[in-house]
Amino acid sequence: MLKHLIEGLTSGFGRQRETEPSTETSAGAGMSGAGTGVAEPLPSLGFVSHQPLYDKQLRVVAYAFSVRRGKGPLQSALQQAEFDRLMLGTLNNLDIGKLLAYRKAFVPVSLHALDDALLTELPAKSVIYRLEPPLVGEALDGQLLARLDRLQGHGYRFAVEPARFDAEQGELFRRMDFFIVDFAARAPQVLEPFLEQLPQRYPRARWIGFNIGSAEELDLCLHGAGSRQFALFHGAILPLLKSLDENERIDTEQLHILEIMRLLRANTDSGQIEAQFKRDSVLLFKLLRFINTPSNGFAKEVQTIEESLLLLGRETLFKWLSMLLFTAKQECARSFGLLEKSLIRARFMEKLGDVRSKVEREQLFVTGMFSVLDALLGKPLDVAIEPLDLPAPVQAALLHHSGAFADRYALALACEAGDAERIDPLVQRLQLSPVPITQHYAEAVLWAQEILQQGTLGDGDA
C-alpha cells in the first residue's frame, strides 16, 4: 500500500538511465615492485557505505562507496587485490546495477584492480573508479597506463586524490577524469594555492570537494580559486545552506499542509479538514488527482474530501501530506535533497521494524520522515514538529535520542554518515548483523530514488 501511495503522487520527474554493462575482458597490465606471497587475512568488509554527492544545483547525482578497512593499511599487492575483489564482489551481490540506473557511483580500488575482470562487470556509463595510491616501493609502469587507456576507451572513468600521492604522477594525473580535494585533510587556506595551480597543469579533470564541513569550505568550492573546476560536492552540504534566505518565507501551501496534518493527528471531524482543503484549491486538486490515480484501484471517481478520508484513511492521508510538505516549493532543489534524505531514513527505519507491529513500523517511518523538518522549515526541530502531535516514541527519538526508537534512529544516521565506529555497537545492541544492514540501506536508497524518478510529488504530468 505504501509503495502504491507514493507512486500515485509522482509523475515525470526524470527518466531512468540506461545501464548497459561493458563486455570487456581483463587484459594484462602491471606495476613494478608488486609484492608476492601469501596474503595476510583480510579485514572484515562490514558495512558498505554510500554517501551522496551533490551537483551545483544541490541534486544528488552520485554516491561515494567506501568501507572501513580495519585498523591498519593493506601491506601487500596481493592483499590489496584480494580486498578489491571482495569490494567489487560485495557490490555485485548488492545488485548495485539497479542503484546505478539513477545515480553514478565512485568506487575505491587499488591500481592492481585494473587487472581484474570484476572491474568490467559494473556498468561503464555509471561507475567512476577512485584509484588508491601505490604501495611504498611500487612505481607506475607502461603496462598499467596502457590498461587504463583501454578501460577508458570502453567508457570507464577514473579519479584520484592527488594530495595522497607521494610524488606528482603526471602521466597518471593527465588521464584522470576527476580530482578529489579532501577538506578533512587540508585547511582551506592551505588548499587555495594548490587549487590555483592544478587547473593549469591538468585542465581536463573536474574536481570533487570531499568532506566539506563548513560554510568557508563550501564557499571556496563555489566562489574561490578554481571554482569553475568543481563539479561535485560531498559532506554536510544541505545543513550549511540557509533553508530561508532574507527574501524567503515558509510557503502558504506548507502552512496549510501543516495545519491539516495537525487536525488529522487531533482526530478533528472531517468538516474542519475539508474547510482547510477548500482554502487552497491547488492542494485540493492535488489530493483528488492523487486519490483517483489508477494505482489506488478505486472503482469510481472520488470527488469530495469526505470520500477521500473514508477511502484513504487518516494515516494514509497524513503520510501523503508529509511528503507533499517537502515539495510545496517546486523550484527549490534543496527541498528535494531533503526529501530524498528523509525518504531513505524513513524506509530504512521501517525495514528495521519488520518484526514489529504495523503501528510501530508506521511510527518508525514517520520518525525518519520528519527528522529533517527543522532544516526544511528553518525552525528548531521541537518547534517544527510541535503542531503535529507525534506519538511519544517518535518525539523521544527525534528530540532526545531516547526511547524505543532511539537505536534505530541512531543507526539510520550512522549509516547515512558511513560511520562504522557508531554502526558496530548499534548493530550489536539491536542483535543484527552488518550484511542485512547493508542490504536494507541499499534497498532504502534505491526505493527513494525510484520514488523521486517517478515524478515530482503533487505535480502535473510532464
Side-chain angles (χ1 to χ4, degrees), residues 122-173:
L122 297 180
K125 292 182 178 180
S126 302
V127 173
I128 300 96
Y129 287 111
R130 175 178 175 170
L131 298 178
E132 298 292 321
L135 296 172
V136 176
E138 291 182 329
L140 301 176
D141 63 19
Q143 283 185 300
L144 183 138
L145 295 174
R147 172 63 175 158
L148 189 62
D149 291 340
R150 286 195 292 273
L151 287 168
Q152 288 185 316
H154 285 272
Y156 286 95
R157 290 177 289 172
F158 295 88
V160 295
E161 183 182 341
R164 291 186 60 202
F165 285 72
D166 292 336
E168 185 169 342
Q169 303 287 346
E171 288 299 315
L172 178 66
F173 290 177

Side-chain angles (χ1 to χ4, degrees), residues 4-19:
H4 289 159
L5 160 68
I6 304 173
E7 285 173 350
L9 296 174
T10 58
S11 62
F13 182 71
R15 297 181 179 176
Q16 180 169 326
R17 296 192 183 111
E18 296 177 358
T19 53

Side-chain angles (χ1 to χ4, degrees), residues 115-420:
D115 277 329
D116 201 319
L118 276 176
L119 205 71
T120 59
E121 291 187 10
L122 297 180
K125 292 182 178 180
S126 302
V127 173
I128 300 96
Y129 287 111
R130 175 178 175 170
L131 298 178
E132 298 292 321
L135 296 172
V136 176
E138 291 182 329
L140 301 176
D141 63 19
Q143 283 185 300
L144 183 138
L145 295 174
R147 172 63 175 158
L148 189 62
D149 291 340
R150 286 195 292 273
L151 287 168
Q152 288 185 316
H154 285 272
Y156 286 95
R157 290 177 289 172
F158 295 88
V160 295
E161 183 182 341
R164 291 186 60 202
F165 285 72
D166 292 336
E168 185 169 342
Q169 303 287 346
E171 288 299 315
L172 178 66
F173 290 177
R174 273 192 286 273
R175 289 168 165 81
M176 292 298 102
D177 301 280
F178 294 93
F179 285 156
I180 293 167
V181 180
D182 190 350
F183 284 86
R186 300 286 188 278
Q189 57 268 30
V190 176
L191 281 172
E192 194 152 10
F194 172 73
L195 298 180
E196 289 176 352
Q197 301 172 12
L198 208 56
Q200 302 170 12
R201 299 180 190 175
Y202 309 106
R204 174 176 178 270
R206 290 179 293 168
W207 301 351
I208 305 170
F210 223 75
N211 290 318
I212 297 171
S214 71
E216 180 187 9
E217 292 167 354
L218 182 59
D219 185 68
L220 179 59
C221 293
L222 295 176
H223 307 294
S227 59
R228 291 183 180 180
Q229 300 294 118
F230 277 102
L232 299 173
F233 310 93
H234 164 275
I237 305 299
L238 296 179
L240 294 176
L241 302 172
K242 293 180 181 179
S243 60
L244 301 173
D245 63 29
E246 293 178 355
N247 299 315
E248 237 182 346
R249 59 183 177 82
I250 297 177
D251 191 86
T252 302
E253 186 175 316
Q254 287 178 313
L255 293 175
H256 285 164
I257 292 169
L258 285 168
E259 177 60 15
I260 296 170
M261 293 172 77
R262 184 191 69 78
L263 294 174
L264 286 168
R265 289 294 307 164
N267 203 29
T268 305
D269 68 78
S270 58
Q272 292 187 50
I273 295 171
E274 184 171 5
Q276 282 293 326
F277 271 105
K278 287 180 177 178
R279 289 179 58 192
D280 190 331
S281 59
V282 174
L283 187 58
L284 177 58
F285 168 76
K286 290 177 180 179
L287 172 64
L288 294 177
R289 189 193 56 195
F290 156 63
I291 197 170
N292 287 305
T293 54
S295 61
N296 283 321
F298 298 130
K300 65 174 185 176
E301 184 177 356
V302 178
Q303 297 182 340
T304 69
I305 299 298
E306 188 174 2
E307 286 181 293
S308 301
L309 281 169
L310 182 64
L311 293 170
L312 285 180
R314 289 175 177 251
E315 288 300 323
T316 299
L317 181 57
F318 186 89
K319 201 175 272 187
W320 177 76
L321 288 167
S322 70
M323 296 185 203
L324 194 62
L325 183 64
F326 283 85
T327 56
K329 293 183 178 181
Q330 299 298 342
E331 76 282 358
C332 183
R334 181 176 179 276
S335 293
F336 283 103
L338 291 171
L339 174 59
E340 180 166 353
K341 184 189 289 284
S342 68
L343 285 171
I344 293 170
R345 290 181 183 180
R347 181 63 166 174
F348 178 68
M349 292 186 68
E350 185 181 48
K351 294 290 288 182
L352 292 178
D354 276 350
V355 298
R356 292 176 169 246
S357 68
K358 180 180 178 181
V359 172
E360 285 185 308
R361 289 198 302 273
E362 292 286 333
Q363 291 179 357
L364 285 166
F365 185 94
V366 168
T367 303
M369 196 71 207
F370 288 127
S371 61
V372 298
L373 202 57
D374 54 340
L376 178 70
L377 301 180
K379 298 180 176 182
L381 188 56
D382 60 338
V383 176
I385 68 172
E386 192 273 333
L388 302 176
D389 191 26
L390 296 174
V394 178
Q395 293 194 47
L398 291 177
L399 300 180
H400 309 296
H401 298 274
S402 63
F405 299 162
D407 283 347
R408 286 168 173 79
Y409 179 46
L411 183 57
L413 299 182
C415 289
E416 182 182 285
D419 189 343

